[in-house]
Amino acid sequence: MTHLFGGDEGRVHSRTIYVGHKPCPPNEAFIPPKFCDNRIVSSKYTVWNFLPKNLFEQFRRIANFYFLIIFLVQVIVDTPTSPVTSGLPLFFVITVTAVKQGYEDWLRHKADREVNDYPVSVLEDGRRIRKRSKKLKVGDIVEVEEDETFPCDLILLQSSRDDGTCFVTTASLDGESNHKTHYTVSDLESDLQYLSATIECEQPQPDLYKFVGRMHIYRNSQEPDVRSLGPENLLLKGANLKNTQKIYGVAVYTGMETKMALNYQGKSQKRSAVEKSINAFLLVYLFILVSKALVCTTLKYVWQSKHDEPWYNEKTQKEKDTNQYLKMFTDFLSFMVLFNFIIPVSMYVTVEMQKFLGSFFIAWDKDFFDPEIKEGALVNTSDLNEELGQVEYIFTDKTGTLTQNNMEFIECCIDGFQYKHQEGSSELDGFCVTDGPVNKVQQKAGREREELFLRALCLCHTVQVKESTKQGQDQIDQLDHVDGLGSEEVLQPPQQERGFIASSPDEIALVKGAMRYGFTFLGLESKNMKILNRNKDVETYELLHVLNFDPVRRRMSVMVRSKTGDILLFCKGADSSIFPQVRQEEVERIRMHVERNATDGYRTLCVAYKHLSTEEYAKADADLREARLALQDREEKLMAVYNQVETDMILIGATAVEDQLQDEAAQTMEALQGAGMKVWVLTGDKMETAKSTCYACGLFKKKTELLELTLRTLEDGGRSREGRLHDLLLEYHKKAVQDAPPVKLGITRSWSVTGHDYGFIIDGASLSMVLSSSSESNSRSYKNLFLQICQNCTAVLCCRMAPLQKAQIVKLVKNSKGSPITLSIGDGANDVSMILEAHVGIGIKGREGRQAVKNSDYAIPKLKHLKKLLLAHGHLYYVRIAHLVQYFFYKNLCFILPQFLYQFFCGYSQQPLYDAAYLTMYNICFTSMPILAYSLLEQHICIDVLLDNSTLYREIAKNAMLRWKLFLYWTALGIFHGLVFFFGVWFLFSNPALQDNGQVFGNWSYGTIVFTVLVFTVTLKLALDTRHWTWINHFVIWGSLAFYVFFSFFWGGIIWPFLKHQRLYFVFANMLSSVSAWLIIILLILLSLLPEILLVVLRKPRGPHARQKKRVESSAGDPQSPQSSARPLLMRTFSDESNTVI
């Protein structure tokens, strides 16, 4: 933006806004500029484009497109089966998906309407009128009242507060729930009706924290006054007004040009590993289909060349005149149509329904309900349920995720002396003395230094005091009430009602810490800060300037003037940013305390001050005002002035604030590591604090050897950083990778069997060097070394990370060899990038707003819920859907193989074995519901056992249940069953006179017997695989079989007027009148299922359930042990399994 306002040539990059739509200056011609309206559109479809757009998107899926082609071939070419047989299932799939997507888009339309029709107040010609939000235009002056949401991006013109400020929360934008202060444009008319002004500002851009503009104010034909505008004057759409009765602002960006709309990015489509496996299996079955069609086409013409045309099937003249090659091609297409049911189109809709309905079990799980926030888990996408059972790497934020983001003041250090507040005592450098006023503590800093330090804590912050109101009771989450914390006499009764609001919870903790030692912050009134000292006297300081905190300087300062006229600068910040700015002789006394506190896991801040002479202040004041008015490089100029002022300070002391661990954080981490997942902590915090949190969580243990790659280790050794980086990476690689013991077969996580545990620590600066080395070859080599080291460590800690670096780390691991499944979990806006980057993103419903939750795939109230989400829900979802996929391919192979074999006995004439009704209904009605119920309700292992034995999770890792070996087993099973069905009935039909009256059974009876054996066998196969029986399973399994029998009687028992050929008229009833047919059906079902039952009974259990079986057998004496888990796969078919359904 440096060229933005450089001259006339830069004006195309800016926009001019007329405040209140008034011409400026008044005597000039006024041409209103055109900007977009305030309408928000997040929906995907309209009434007019829904059908074509949705159909286009659905037919981009290979399976849908394939079935459309098959359907068109059936319509165009004379094929052996009716177009209905493939058209109806396709129509069902397309309709169900369209309804689901249409409903989701209707919800988006509904949300858009709520936003667009929201009533707002606008000032027009001095009158206050109400209009709908979507009618707002750029230039309108808008009135917003307390707790309302800003309807568009506004420049703040007027506030009800005396000091011209207002407070906002931006939780919906950047996730931060703390209050931010914004300022009005200075020296404006009190009555906005008479304001004549224009605003020139940059064109819309998505950066929430940047805004450059200026305001021209016209008064009485004079030269216009110019005011500089920055982000502190801009109120963003989506933010809420707090602690301010009302404000007036002028709209500068509206609708889809607001920063909120520009930051909205649709989530990229995440595909699960199961979906990729389905596509691979689909290609195999497509190859089988084409092979079958080619074999039959070839054999047809071979057979015809050796046999004369049968008298009953003579070719017409038209057929004889048809080109031979065209006839071959149409025959090939006809065979493709006949065998196309080997490709299970209904599997896609079943998988969609399984994912959609299965996701409700997470939302309904009572264990995920948190009584504090009165909310449970949230599912934002149902496409990744099974991916929860495949996670290999977890990337977690620290503050608010591993810790509670609930700050408590622990201790402080003044001039090297420790002051530790405890109930009833104060500890000083190792020994306790009776707690009283601080000045009675022996071996302490001087009283003057103590009071100076406590004044610094009371003055150096942006905390506001809010009197409690009736509304305030409803805003407890926004308001951190003062609860006494010290002696009763410190606070007067009215002041106990006060609450603190601030942009950071650390600041509130420090203000409360000062209260413990007798200094109470009373609030800010008209640029005057008031504090109550320990003598109960009120001290007043004039606030001159606030030098705001920023992540580069990592410190903030205030300039104040005391009643005596002294000008003081108080500064607080991270030790690494304060120590270089103070006199070095004072540093060592404080450094020891800071490092010890950081090792204990506390967040530390150092406090310094400086006396400013009148001349120094005058220069600083002039430089600050000039920098704030700059239109170009404003931030850089302000930074230079800040750094110039914050030098030669005197260090007073340091503070320690504790951010407590989340409930059960250590147990959760232990369970996840036991399940074979590697946990990486990505945080912006300092290394010492983060390291101690990792120890507290059990990620690092006492025996863990830490490999450190930080700026500190890179600067040791006297070599260049690049050279030192290379040496360290090679050294660590040798330790962790080359010298590590070899991995045993069958173990997927190498660290789980190494004799030595390693932990790796890297900071943001070192990571930048690894990822962007000076030469490309070095960079690739460094990345590979870095990854190999990390993959052989039990845990990795990345500290001082920027949000973008978090995403880079996730991407690096995600794209590494083997493409491991990654999961990111965080609670703040700074975690959104890594949540979107990972295969699965989890948001924590924490204190830092809901940005992470909105962008996540799943949201949970607390970290401890991650254990059940992965080890129980994830495990079960994966097993269920893997079985669903394998079963679908198996049952369709059983279905079509007899049809293929039948061609060898009918002269390859494309004669169908099954009636068209059976072809259509097989996947839609007869076999769809049992597998859907299984895939929703199955618990092959009890949930309690899954949670207690995290190692069971490893058994399904790396897509274990959808590997080629298992796929080939299911395919072989399908071929075996298909052969049994066909040749078993063929053997029976060696004498077709199967009835007492000698009546011969025909080809439709043959097909019906095969189909009956098929339906019963595949359904009972699923019943044998079911281990957790509920009434729903019983209903759908036995109900499906009953429905098949009922339908067959009904379909064959009535003459249907719309059918040309009544093929099954009384066929089913006749068939069941034959004892031989009954006998062969029962025998073939038993023969099909017997080998598998024998195999499971006689084989020694191995694989996913063997370890669980051993555990349960060893605890057989325990009455609580779940007996169902002790038996092999198919032997607990009709037992009373675990009594819970997820």
Side-chain angles (χ1 to χ4, degrees):
M1 292 297 164
T2 53
H3 62 287
L4 201 64
F5 301 102
D8 291 338
E9 73 281 1
R11 296 300 166 92
V12 292
H13 298 291
S14 65
R15 58 167 54 186
T16 301
I17 295 148
Y18 294 85
V19 178
H21 308 289
K22 294 178 184 173
C24 297
N27 53 3
E28 283 191 8
F30 174 58
I31 303 169
K34 289 186 178 178
F35 301 109
C36 76
D37 62 14
N38 200 37
R39 195 186 307 269
I40 288 290
V41 180
S42 65
S43 53
K44 196 174 177 182
Y45 307 108
T46 65
V47 174
W48 310 109
N49 73 9
F50 174 72
L51 209 57
K53 196 172 179 181
N54 186 265
L55 288 176
F56 173 73
E57 286 173 356
Q58 289 209 56
F59 285 120
R60 285 169 68 185
R61 293 181 85 162
I62 295 170
N64 289 347
F65 184 69
Y66 162 78
F67 268 85
L68 178 66
I69 296 297
I70 291 291
F71 174 68
L72 293 175
V73 167
Q74 284 179 294
V75 171
I76 297 164
V77 180
D78 182 21
T79 55
T81 55
S82 162
V84 175
T85 56
S86 59
L88 194 62
L90 180 65
F91 176 75
F92 177 69
V93 169
I94 296 294
T95 305
V96 168
T97 309
V99 167
K100 175 177 174 274
Q101 292 178 348
Y103 173 69
E104 287 173 350
D105 203 62
W106 176 76
L107 292 177
R108 284 192 285 267
H109 272 283
K110 189 179 172 188
D112 288 347
R113 273 199 305 276
E114 282 179 17
V115 173
N116 293 329
D117 293 343
Y118 187 79
V120 294
S121 300
V122 179
L123 288 185
E124 283 187 8
D125 302 322
R127 290 179 297 112
R128 179 175 175 270
I129 63 167
R130 301 284 278 179
K131 60 165 72 171
R132 288 187 291 179
S133 174
K134 65 183 178 184
K135 302 284 187 185
L136 278 181
K137 295 176 186 169
V138 171
D140 281 349
I141 297 176
V142 181
E143 177 189 291
V144 181
E145 296 187 343
E146 186 170 9
D147 292 326
E148 286 186 345
T149 302
F150 300 120
C152 56
D153 290 352
L154 306 167
I155 291 293
L156 181 57
L157 300 178
Q158 205 173 85
S159 169
S160 60
R161 293 177 65 91
D162 297 336
D163 55 4
T165 62
C166 74
F167 298 101
V168 304
T169 55
T170 56
S172 61
L173 294 166
D174 58 9
E176 295 178 17
S177 56
N178 302 305
H179 290 58
K180 295 182 174 66
T181 309
H182 287 259
Y183 300 90
T184 56
V185 181
S186 56
D187 302 328
L188 289 182
E189 281 81 353
S190 57
D191 191 344
L192 296 177
Q193 182 183 350
Y194 302 110
L195 175 64
S196 180
T198 60
I199 291 172
E200 195 171 4
C201 62
E202 63 190 2
Q203 291 290 2
Q205 53 104 348
D207 194 325
L208 297 175
Y209 308 106
K210 286 191 179 173
F211 176 75
V212 179
R214 61 184 174 190
M215 190 173 195
H216 298 264
I217 304 166
Y218 295 89
R219 292 190 177 102
N220 305 325
S221 304
Q222 300 172 0
E223 276 295 304
D225 294 336
V226 182
R227 299 278 183 275
S228 173
L229 302 176
E232 69 277 4
N233 308 116
L234 185 69
L235 305 171
L236 300 177
K237 177 182 175 69
N240 287 69
L241 184 66
K242 295 289 178 186
N243 209 22
T244 311
Q245 283 182 359
K246 70 167 72 167
I247 62 101
Y248 293 96
V250 59
V252 286
Y253 304 126
T254 51
M256 301 308 288
E257 291 182 341
T258 57
K259 289 185 183 285
M260 182 184 187
L262 293 173
N263 269 278
Y264 175 77
Q265 57 175 46
K267 294 178 205 170
S268 60
Q269 191 66 34
K270 294 180 178 181
R271 289 176 63 209
S272 70
V274 168
E275 197 174 331
K276 293 169 190 170
S277 295
I278 291 173
N279 290 341
F281 296 163
L282 206 63
L283 289 174
V284 172
Y285 271 64
L286 200 58
F287 174 74
I288 294 172
L289 170 64
V290 173
S291 303
K292 282 182 176 180
L294 281 172
V295 167
C296 285
T297 308
T298 308
L299 291 176
K300 176 176 181 174
Y301 284 90
V302 170
W303 188 85
Q304 284 183 357
S305 66
K306 293 181 180 178
H307 298 81
D308 295 330
E309 282 180 27
W311 58 268
Y312 56 82
N313 194 19
E314 219 174 308
K315 287 183 182 175
T316 63
Q317 189 60 40
K318 187 181 177 184
E319 285 176 327
K320 288 176 183 175
D321 295 341
T322 307
N323 181 286
Q324 182 75 2
Y325 293 107
L326 181 62
K327 187 74 180 78
M328 279 183 166
F329 180 65
T330 54
D331 277 334
F332 171 74
L333 290 179
S334 295
F335 279 118
M336 287 281 286
V337 167
L338 191 62
F339 303 143
N340 85 84
F341 288 95
I342 197 171
I343 306 292
V345 66
S346 59
M347 179 178 69
Y348 282 95
V349 77
T350 309
V351 166
E352 289 271 340
M353 289 170 71
Q354 190 266 353
K355 289 181 173 183
F356 177 68
L357 296 172
S359 63
F360 285 108
F361 293 142
I362 294 176
W364 291 338
D365 194 324
K366 290 180 180 176
D367 290 344
F368 290 156
F369 183 79
D370 184 50
E372 265 185 58
I373 59 172
K374 293 184 170 53
E375 288 183 45
L378 176 71
V379 179
N380 291 327
T381 176
S382 58
D383 292 339
L384 302 169
N385 294 343
E386 66 276 9
E387 211 77 327
L388 294 169
Q390 293 293 293
V391 175
E392 295 174 65
Y393 285 86
I394 293 178
F395 300 92
T396 174
D397 177 39
K398 184 184 81 71
T399 308
T401 304
L402 290 175
T403 62
Q404 294 181 11
N405 199 16
N406 184 14
M407 308 300 175
E408 184 184 352
F409 185 88
I410 297 297
E411 63 177 66
C412 60
C413 159
I414 306 172
D415 266 0
F417 294 97
Q418 179 189 13
Y419 294 79
K420 186 163 187 176
H421 180 86
Q422 294 177 336
E423 292 302 322
S425 69
S426 195
E427 186 184 304
L428 176 73
D429 278 341
F431 66 92
C432 293
V433 294
T434 306
D435 188 22
V438 182
N439 61 339
K440 290 183 184 175
V441 178
Q442 299 165 16
Q443 293 192 16
K444 56 178 178 38
R447 181 185 176 94
E448 191 180 323
R449 298 287 278 186
E450 288 171 5
E451 295 194 347
L452 187 64
F453 177 81
L454 295 170
R455 282 191 186 96
L457 293 188
C458 281
L459 296 171
C460 187
H461 55 70
T462 55
V463 173
Q464 299 288 330
V465 174
K466 179 172 180 176
E467 302 291 342
S468 78
T469 61
K470 287 182 183 177
Q471 283 185 335
Q473 297 303 318
D474 302 326
Q475 299 171 350
I476 290 172
D477 59 320
Q478 297 291 337
L479 201 60
D480 199 345
H481 284 286
V482 177
D483 55 5
L485 290 176
S487 342
E488 286 294 324
E489 70 269 19
V490 173
L491 287 173
Q492 305 301 324
Q495 289 156 0
Q496 284 185 332
E497 298 287 315
R498 294 169 185 264
F500 292 133
I501 51 177
S503 58
S504 163
D506 297 71
E507 293 204 316
I508 294 175
L510 295 178
V511 170
K512 286 184 173 181
M515 285 172 57
R516 291 179 175 179
Y517 297 108
F519 272 72
T520 306
F521 174 60
L522 299 179
L524 174 69
E525 294 175 13
S526 306
K527 294 284 183 182
N528 288 320
M529 300 180 84
K530 294 183 178 179
I531 58 177
L532 185 74
N533 64 23
R534 60 166 69 124
N535 299 323
K536 306 295 179 292
D537 298 327
V538 175
E539 299 178 6
T540 305
Y541 294 85
E542 182 188 353
L543 180 61
L544 304 170
H545 286 286
V546 176
L547 281 53
N548 287 321
F549 176 86
D550 66 75
V552 180
R553 276 168 51 245
R554 294 182 39 242
R555 56 180 182 267
M556 68 89 59
S557 304
V558 294
M559 291 185 193
V560 294
R561 182 186 281 123
S562 67
K563 279 281 182 66
T564 58
D566 293 333
I567 298 172
L568 295 164
L569 173 105
F570 290 111
C571 179
K572 72 169 189 280
D575 53 323
S576 55
S577 66
I578 293 284
F579 286 167
Q581 308 294 324
V582 299
R583 298 169 189 167
Q584 291 309 300
E585 62 270 15
E586 301 160 347
V587 169
E588 289 310 314
R589 287 181 299 177
I590 307 291
R591 189 194 298 275
M592 177 185 71
H593 289 274
V594 171
E595 289 180 353
R596 180 175 54 76
N597 286 333
T599 307
D600 291 341
Y602 300 140
R603 295 162 70 93
T604 57
L605 285 175
C606 294
V607 181
Y609 83 105
K610 177 183 180 179
H611 273 286
L612 293 173
S613 65
T614 311
E615 295 77 21
E616 283 177 317
Y617 171 70
K619 182 179 185 310
D621 181 57
D623 290 347
L624 283 168
R625 289 181 189 280
E626 184 185 341
R628 283 179 180 145
L629 282 171
L631 289 175
Q632 298 175 5
D633 305 326
R634 184 185 297 176
E635 290 176 8
E636 290 79 359
K637 289 177 180 175
L638 277 172
M639 192 81 69
V641 179
Y642 291 170
N643 288 330
Q644 189 180 335
V645 174
E646 294 169 336
T647 52
D648 296 325
M649 296 185 291
I650 300 168
L651 189 62
I652 324 172
T655 61
V657 174
E658 183 182 24
D659 190 2
Q660 296 174 336
L661 279 183
Q662 287 271 12
D663 295 342
E664 300 177 33
Q667 295 93 313
T668 304
M669 291 298 117
E670 184 185 359
L672 297 178
Q673 284 193 323
M677 292 173 243
K678 294 189 181 179
V679 182
W680 292 31
V681 179
L682 312 182
T683 177
D685 251 354
K686 61 169 73 69
M687 186 185 82
E688 292 78 10
T689 311
K691 190 160 72 174
S692 61
T693 303
C694 288
Y695 274 114
C697 286
L699 294 174
F700 293 159
K701 298 185 170 56
K702 286 183 180 177
K703 62 176 182 176
T704 306
E705 183 180 343
L706 297 182
L707 310 176
E708 192 178 316
L709 189 67
T710 58
L711 278 182
R712 188 174 70 188
T713 54
L714 291 179
E715 285 168 358
D716 292 346
R719 292 190 59 192
S720 70
R721 282 185 183 177
E722 183 93 13
R724 181 77 177 137
L725 175 71
H726 184 258
D727 293 348
L728 280 173
L729 282 172
L730 287 177
E731 180 191 330
Y732 293 159
H733 186 266
K734 186 173 186 306
K735 264 189 187 180
V737 183
Q738 295 171 10
D739 295 346
V743 180
K744 292 178 185 174
L745 286 174
I747 302 291
T748 55
R749 309 294 195 276
S750 58
W751 58 264
S752 60
V753 290
T754 54
H756 199 83
D757 279 351
Y758 291 102
F760 192 74
I761 300 175
I762 188 169
D763 62 9
S766 307
L767 181 70
S768 296
M769 291 175 68
V770 169
L771 297 180
S772 54
S773 181
S774 49
S775 71
E776 195 176 325
S777 59
N778 270 4
S779 179
R780 200 177 298 112
S781 160
Y782 289 168
K783 279 183 194 174
N784 289 337
L785 287 171
F786 168 68
L787 265 178
Q788 287 176 33
I789 295 165
C790 290
Q791 285 167 347
N792 274 47
C793 292
T794 52
V796 177
L797 167 61
C798 305
C799 44
R800 295 298 189 204
M801 289 282 131
L804 190 61
Q805 286 181 312
K806 292 183 176 185
Q808 285 175 328
I809 288 265
V810 176
K811 189 174 183 180
L812 190 68
V813 174
K814 190 169 89 168
N815 297 334
S816 64
K817 187 179 177 184
S819 302
I821 304 297
T822 57
L823 178 147
S824 292
I825 179 167
D827 71 318
N830 58 336
D831 304 315
V832 167
S833 53
M834 74 170 182
I835 284 172
L836 290 175
E837 184 62 51
H839 291 97
V840 183
I842 309 277
I844 298 271
K845 297 180 175 181
R847 292 167 174 264
E848 292 188 25
R850 292 297 169 93
Q851 197 72 355
V853 170
K854 284 183 176 180
N855 287 278
S856 64
D857 302 307
Y858 302 90
I860 50 178
K862 293 279 172 62
L863 176 77
K864 65 181 180 182
H865 299 137
L866 185 64
K867 178 181 173 182
K868 186 174 184 184
L869 186 68
L870 298 186
L871 302 190
H873 286 285
H875 188 119
L876 292 173
Y877 279 134
Y878 174 74
V879 171
R880 290 164 183 165
I881 203 164
H883 199 284
L884 182 151
V885 170
Q886 301 277 30
Y887 178 80
F888 249 99
F889 281 109
Y890 148 79
K891 76 183 178 72
N892 278 39
L893 185 58
C894 292
F895 179 41
I896 287 303
L897 186 61
Q899 175 73 72
F900 172 67
L901 295 171
Y902 187 58
Q903 296 307 303
F904 289 84
F905 295 87
C906 68
Y908 313 100
S909 60
Q910 298 148 17
Q911 168 68 28
L913 176 63
Y914 312 118
D915 182 67
Y918 285 161
L919 285 170
T920 307
M921 303 281 279
Y922 176 71
N923 277 320
I924 294 179
C925 298
F926 299 149
T927 60
S928 60
M929 292 310 291
I931 185 60
L932 179 62
Y934 175 94
S935 64
L936 287 171
L937 304 172
E938 175 63 358
Q939 290 180 30
H940 66 300
I941 301 175
C942 295
I943 288 181
D944 291 340
V945 175
L946 287 172
L947 291 175
D948 291 342
N949 304 296
S950 56
T951 48
L952 289 169
Y953 190 89
R954 292 191 202 181
E955 308 291 354
I956 59 163
K958 299 278 187 187
N959 210 8
M961 294 185 69
L962 287 174
R963 289 187 185 153
W964 288 106
K965 188 176 175 183
L966 269 173
F967 173 69
L968 292 174
Y969 164 75
W970 280 91
T971 304
L973 188 66
I975 292 170
F976 168 68
H977 284 177
L979 291 170
V980 169
F981 302 159
F982 184 82
F983 287 108
V985 181
W986 179 77
F987 176 74
L988 171 72
F989 269 64
S990 55
N991 175 14
L994 297 175
Q995 288 181 302
D996 296 340
N997 60 7
Q999 187 180 339
V1000 176
F1001 272 12
N1003 65 316
W1004 294 113
S1005 297
Y1006 186 99
T1008 304
I1009 295 175
V1010 171
F1011 193 79
T1012 304
V1013 176
L1014 163 72
V1015 170
F1016 273 79
T1017 302
V1018 297
T1019 305
L1020 291 175
K1021 164 79 174 84
L1022 190 66
L1024 288 172
D1025 287 349
T1026 302
R1027 310 180 184 191
H1028 176 69
W1029 284 87
T1030 66
W1031 68 266
I1032 298 174
N1033 295 89
H1034 282 292
F1035 178 76
V1036 295
I1037 285 177
W1038 314 124
S1040 291
L1041 295 176
F1043 174 73
Y1044 164 68
V1045 174
F1046 169 77
F1047 175 82
S1048 297
F1049 274 118
F1050 183 68
W1051 183 248
I1054 297 173
I1055 296 177
W1056 300 99
F1058 54 83
L1059 288 179
K1060 287 182 184 177
H1061 308 289
Q1062 193 79 13
R1063 292 164 173 169
L1064 287 192
Y1065 185 64
F1066 264 83
V1067 165
F1068 193 76
N1070 256 357
M1071 179 190 83
L1072 294 185
S1073 67
S1074 165
V1075 177
S1076 305
W1078 275 95
L1079 185 65
I1080 200 71
I1081 289 170
I1082 294 167
L1083 278 175
L1084 289 180
I1085 292 170
L1086 290 173
L1087 184 63
S1088 300
L1089 297 176
L1090 188 63
E1092 194 181 3
I1093 295 171
L1094 291 174
L1095 188 69
V1096 175
V1097 170
L1098 300 175
R1099 185 183 60 185
K1100 186 180 177 183
R1102 291 183 301 171
H1105 322 299
R1107 192 173 302 183
Q1108 184 210 7
K1109 182 185 171 185
K1110 285 179 190 172
R1111 274 200 193 87
V1112 178
E1113 283 174 346
S1114 66
S1115 59
D1118 179 7
Q1120 298 297 319
S1121 64
Q1123 297 175 359
S1124 62
S1125 308
R1127 287 170 296 175
L1129 175 64
L1130 297 177
M1131 291 304 291
R1132 48 183 143 131
T1133 306
F1134 303 105
S1135 62
D1136 50 342
E1137 294 297 339
S1138 65
N1139 52 11
T1140 56
V1141 178
I1142 304 179

